[in-house]
Amino acid sequence: MNIVLSTLNAKYIHTNLAIRYLKAAIQPEFVCELAEYTIKDPAFNIVSDLFQKKPDIVGFSCYIWNINETIAVIRMLKTVLPNVKIVLGGPEVSYDVHDWLRKHDEIDYIIMGEGEVSFKEMLRHFNGEIELEKVPGICYLHDGKLKIHAQPPKVDLREIATPFRFEEDLPHLGKRIQYIETSRGCPFSCQFCLSSIEVGVRYFNREKIKEDIRYLMDNGAKTIKFVDRTFNISRSYAMEMFQFLIDEHKPGVVFQFEITADIMRPEVIQFLNDNAPRGLFRFEIGVQSTNDLTNDLVKRRQNFEKLTRTVTMVKEGGKIDQHLDLIAGLPEEDYNSFRKTFNDVFAMRPEELQLGFLKLLRGTGLRLEAEKYGYTYVDISPYEIFSNNVLTFDDIVRIKHAEDVLEKYWNAHRMDHTIEYLVTQVFETPFDFFQNFGTYWETKGWSRIGHQLEDLFRRLLEFLQTVENANIDIITSLMKYDFLSGQHFQPRKLWWNDRLSENEMRDIYARIKEKPAIVGDEFAAMNISERELFKHSLVIPFHIDFQNYDETGTVTKQTGYLFTYFRNSEAPYFYSFN
């Protein structure tokens, strides 16, 4: 049999772990080829490539982000290879199996849930070793009737074969994200999440996991992401793994985890703050909502006070970047409640704040109760909601406007000083800034055109000029500082219009040459030559006392100039003067 295991990843940098587990599970009795594509690849090209492999069986790993493209591929594949057996698996097709099979004749079998045992037994059936009735965990149509086989016992994860030893993966380990799991299952019951369906948490063999991580690092992996739903559910286990990763990491490697912040003990955070190298770890934390009623309705246990303590303590440690998630559209979270949720979480100033929208996933409790909360939603992947009984479609659209500029202006960290001033001194709350600017952005049609870095500054300034009581001189100065802070060399294009005349510039540089200390004793001590001074420095109009701002964070108005000296590999040197 010629067996191909395939999937369509969202991006090339992603690696599908599921098909690798299946490949490892069926060896040595069966051999298969892995074939990964992306959702951006033309379906015809994917089908052409699969056709040339002459498969007897093709298995596809299916998720909400690739199911539509996968269905298009299997329709075409069945046309050119009518005898090929198409097997689907993954979270997107493990539920509502009757719907998938009756709508899509091209699907021969669906494997529900974990596939390591079921897929191997299915291959034994195709090989003539066992009857189809003895293959567990599958569903299919027989004479128009749906057949569902009981699932096998859960896999013993301590004995499962490693998915990380395939020679064909070696050239790609350093170019793609490597996913690893140390456990399966989730202890929580959040009704919007598929992980809540599996009861209990099972662990892999710790020493085997460590060997896998060593192997990945030894072969060039740079980003290793743990896909455990709650990495820190066991404090002792998490501490052991943290210690191992600190002791044995290699330069340039980053480890990402999904953690539950409100159960992380302060002593664990202190250990990381004291011992973890900066940038080694990255935390993803699902907050979703700070509305107690909403959390109760979706069976989400969360102590926001403890969560805030964890996020704040990690941030103060300065070692670990944090990515926090919100979900708009949860039950009884109306527009004003979501505004509060956003502001509650933004107050912690996470390095990234992802503003997502509720998706009613197949198999989740919330999808089953959609009518109870008045949900209307797209009934094709990714099943995103239009509205519910407290949130209108207009509200959803407005929040999407805020999401757009949040990504561009906060998560990208292009102008942190400016944003901090705006959300504390100009707008009533952070959400109001992102919402108002996002709506302005949309009305100008900017979401439909591209932008360069300079455009982002110009567009923000244009918006702020429409805002009552916004001190444009101070804001523009902060924007200039943010812009120049990101430059290693003197920029060729400046986005602001207030420039010094040639005479002003000549006089200022004459003063600096005569007395370098007017732009700071630190600069004077550099002993910069006249040639280097002209080549690598910039003087611009400025309306803030930079030294006071740099030392205290307080914005004090002062009309004068900002001197910037660009130092190649170092951050620019700044000094304001009159």
Side-chain angles (χ1 to χ4, degrees), residues 112 118 135-138 148-153:
M112 302 172 292
S118 298
V135 180
I138 65 169
I148 298 179
H149 293 190
Q151 293 193 17

Side-chain angles (χ1 to χ4, degrees), residues 353-364:
L353 178 57
Q354 180 174 321
L355 200 170
F357 296 84
L358 180 64
K359 298 171 178 62
L360 294 183
L361 304 179
R362 294 174 183 266
T364 59

Side-chain angles (χ1 to χ4, degrees), residues 429-445:
T429 75
F431 183 79
D432 296 324
F433 162 68
F434 291 108
Q435 178 67 92
N436 293 343
F437 184 28
T439 298
Y440 184 86
W441 184 284
E442 182 64 25
T443 59
K444 299 293 288 188

Side-chain angles (χ1 to χ4, degrees), residues 188-193 196 287-302 329-334 337 358 360 364-375 388-391:
F188 303 109
S189 304
C190 306
Q191 295 299 287
F192 52 81
C193 181
S196 65
V287 183
Q288 321 312 7
S289 175
T290 63
N291 184 312
D292 291 336
L293 173 60
T294 293
N295 285 326
D296 286 342
L297 290 172
V298 297
K299 300 181 181 179
R300 180 174 178 79
R301 301 194 306 272
Q302 178 170 270
L330 291 171
E332 302 304 322
E333 177 111 281
D334 63 12
S337 172
L358 180 64
L360 294 183
T364 59
L366 209 49
R367 181 171 174 128
L368 297 175
E369 292 192 306
E371 188 175 341
K372 175 181 177 180
Y373 299 109
Y375 280 112
N388 63 21
N389 57 352
V390 297
L391 199 69

Side-chain angles (χ1 to χ4, degrees), residues 320-338:
I320 301 169
D321 281 352
Q322 299 176 97
H323 172 114
L324 273 57
D325 290 335
L326 302 179
I327 297 179
L330 291 171
E332 302 304 322
E333 177 111 281
D334 63 12
Y335 182 85
N336 288 328
S337 172
F338 184 77

Side-chain angles (χ1 to χ4, degrees), residues 523 527-537 565-566:
F523 178 77
N527 292 317
I528 301 298
S529 69
E530 181 176 333
R531 180 175 178 275
E532 293 297 301
L533 172 64
F534 282 108
K535 185 177 179 181
H536 298 299
S537 68
Y565 185 73
F566 299 93

